Amino acid sequence: MNRILGLFLLATVALASGAWAQSQGRAERRDAIFLRFPEMAERYWVNPETNAASHKVVAVPMPRQCAFVYADSYSKGHMSESEVQQLAVSSCNRKLAELGPLGENYSVDCRCQVVISDEHYVVPRNTLPTESYGPVSIFYRDPNGNVARLNGLARYGALIGRDRSVTFRIDNPRGERVCEGTFTNDSPGSGRYSMSCFGGKFSSNGSYQSKTGSPNDHIIARGHTGQGQPVSMVIGLPAQLAGGLYGGI
């Protein structure tokens, strides 16, 4: 009997240790990931039907949410936590596949994984971005009038549309900083931008709009260089998709 009790206690400790190892801290309503996706936050924390679900899971592309998509799933009936996690990852991967390849923007292997499960982080907090990340493509005309393109990764530390002024930077696929700029909010979905690239050799000013829905939430900015040449910048769509929609500038 004592041996059985000892084995039971040992198993209980092992299970508890495993659960503790998986938890990377409790998720909060004001965490950056929920601020970036207010619709998800509403379902996860407020909506009575989904908030009361036995299991609640969030999956995003990693590392550092390499694409601006997400999937949140909620248990129905007797679904297990594992089943809800699989559902969230599958939904996230489907959205990621719909965007197309990201290799022209950056070289990381972007894949969906569970980051929050039942109000606890299951990845280290420092692996999640404190900034917003997204693929970016800039289309412009060179001095000869030919269309040129710069692909890379955009990052900005605040919420465009909620903060009056948001600074951003753009890295090329090798991770080198090539552009810096500012979005100035005039209304929740639009405003002005200014940008300087390649150490001041290329600059642009104009306006931007936030687009929601299919094929993915994204930002389209249009303006001109100092020489009057047109410029288009797309944040949130992979290079191929951005080129097909906006590459004609």
Side-chain angles (χ1 to χ4, degrees), residues 120-165:
H120 284 82
Y121 286 95
V122 295
V123 297
R125 297 288 291 270
N126 61 6
T127 64
L128 291 167
T130 55
E131 302 173 298
S132 292
Y133 283 62
V136 61
S137 294
I138 300 174
F139 305 94
Y140 60 98
R141 293 192 181 275
D142 63 23
N144 297 321
N146 300 314
V147 176
R149 180 171 69 179
L150 170 66
N151 298 323
L153 168 72
R155 60 178 73 190
Y156 38 95
L159 296 173
I160 296 175
R162 295 190 181 185
D163 297 272
R164 173 61 179 165
S165 180

Side-chain angles (χ1 to χ4, degrees), residues 1-198:
M1 177 65 72
N2 288 338
R3 183 180 179 184
I4 294 174
L5 179 60
L7 290 173
F8 173 78
L9 291 174
L10 183 61
T12 302
V13 170
L15 288 172
S17 299
W20 177 258
Q22 289 180 351
S23 176
Q24 301 291 329
R26 190 169 184 83
E28 302 290 345
R29 172 68 178 84
R30 299 295 298 174
D31 288 349
I33 189 170
F34 292 109
L35 292 178
R36 282 196 292 275
F37 301 113
E39 299 86 357
M40 179 180 72
E42 182 76 13
R43 290 190 295 270
Y44 204 92
W45 299 105
V46 179
N47 184 291
E49 182 179 354
T50 48
N51 174 251
S54 300
H55 301 294
K56 306 185 294 183
V57 175
V58 176
V60 300
M62 294 288 278
R64 292 194 175 276
Q65 197 172 2
C66 40
F68 203 65
V69 301
Y70 70 92
D72 53 320
S73 296
Y74 306 87
S75 60
K76 295 180 179 179
H78 299 288
M79 292 178 67
S80 68
E81 182 179 7
S82 176
E83 288 174 321
V84 181
Q85 290 177 347
Q86 293 173 17
L87 183 63
V89 171
S90 176
S91 177
C92 178
N93 278 326
R94 186 185 70 253
K95 294 178 181 179
L96 190 60
E98 289 172 354
L99 289 181
L102 289 159
E104 292 184 55
N105 295 95
Y106 34 74
S107 58
V108 299
D109 185 14
C110 192
R111 297 185 182 185
C112 290
Q113 70 179 86
V114 173
V115 295
I116 298 174
S117 188
D118 291 351
E119 299 185 12
H120 284 82
Y121 286 95
V122 295
V123 297
R125 297 288 291 270
N126 61 6
T127 64
L128 291 167
T130 55
E131 302 173 298
S132 292
Y133 283 62
V136 61
S137 294
I138 300 174
F139 305 94
Y140 60 98
R141 293 192 181 275
D142 63 23
N144 297 321
N146 300 314
V147 176
R149 180 171 69 179
L150 170 66
N151 298 323
L153 168 72
R155 60 178 73 190
Y156 38 95
L159 296 173
I160 296 175
R162 295 190 181 185
D163 297 272
R164 173 61 179 165
S165 180
V166 176
T167 59
F168 66 91
R169 59 177 277 190
I170 294 173
D171 298 342
N172 64 21
R174 296 184 299 276
E176 302 164 337
R177 184 180 302 189
V178 291
C179 300
E180 294 179 329
T182 302
F183 288 110
T184 302
N185 178 34
D186 291 332
S187 67
S190 63
R192 293 163 284 121
Y193 83 93
S194 61
M195 175 175 61
S196 177
C197 303
F198 310 118

Side-chain angles (χ1 to χ4, degrees), residues 228-249:
Q229 295 283 9
V231 176
S232 294
M233 175 172 62
V234 186
I235 299 177
L237 301 180
Q240 289 186 16
L241 189 54
L245 292 174
Y246 303 106
I249 64 175

